[in-house]
Amino acid sequence: MVKPNRAYINDLARQRILRLFALAVETIHTDPALANRYVEIALRISMRTRVRIPKELKRNLCRGCNSLLYPGITSRVRISASRSPHLSVTCLNCGSVRRYVLNKRR
Ligand SMILES: [Zn+2]
């Protein structure tokens, strides 16, 4: 059996993941279920090929139910100044909340 070309597979997987996320964002307005199906496929490709989902795309995923978080449709985004100022993103599908601290010093 021919050894699979790792670099080629990784590149192909990355392209497919990006394309599936783009499709998910396009369809979220009309068919959220289909958008989540695209995300599901992208996650499966990522797991099977062990290619990471880019950080900026991972931010758009719910940690609780893996659905695509789109402000106004599947997520609620609020800025809060209490305690340390933070951004809270609530998933409207399962209700899980992610918080991002603002003005973090590096
Ligand atoms: Zn969720």
Side-chain angles (χ1 to χ4, degrees), residues 31-32 51-52 68-69 96-97:
D31 192 351
V51 168
R52 276 171 193 268
L68 185 75
L69 296 176
S96 78
V97 185

Side-chain angles (χ1 to χ4, degrees), residues 6 8 10 13 15 32 37 48 53 62 65 73-74 76 85:
R6 203 63 231 173
Y8 175 73
N10 286 354
Q15 283 178 37
R37 176 71 188 137
R48 190 155 61 195
I53 305 266
C62 173
C65 63
I73 299 177
T74 51
R76 187 199 310 132

Side-chain angles (χ1 to χ4, degrees), residues 22-89:
L23 280 172
V25 170
E26 268 174 42
T27 52
I28 192 101
H29 300 271
T30 51
D31 192 351
L34 182 63
N36 281 337
R37 176 71 188 137
Y38 286 141
V39 169
E40 202 180 289
I41 296 167
L43 286 175
R44 204 170 293 170
I45 290 171
S46 159
M47 281 188 280
R48 190 155 61 195
T49 57
R50 289 193 286 167
V51 168
R52 276 171 193 268
I53 305 266
K55 211 197 229 170
E56 61 273 16
L57 292 181
K58 219 167 189 179
R59 261 196 168 207
N60 300 334
L61 284 182
C62 173
R63 276 288 181 98
C65 63
N66 281 335
S67 67
L68 185 75
L69 296 176
Y70 197 88
I73 299 177
T74 51
S75 75
R76 187 199 310 132
V77 181
R78 294 289 182 268
I79 305 171
S80 175
S82 65
R83 291 183 295 171
S84 53
H86 62 276
L87 192 75
S88 54
V89 180

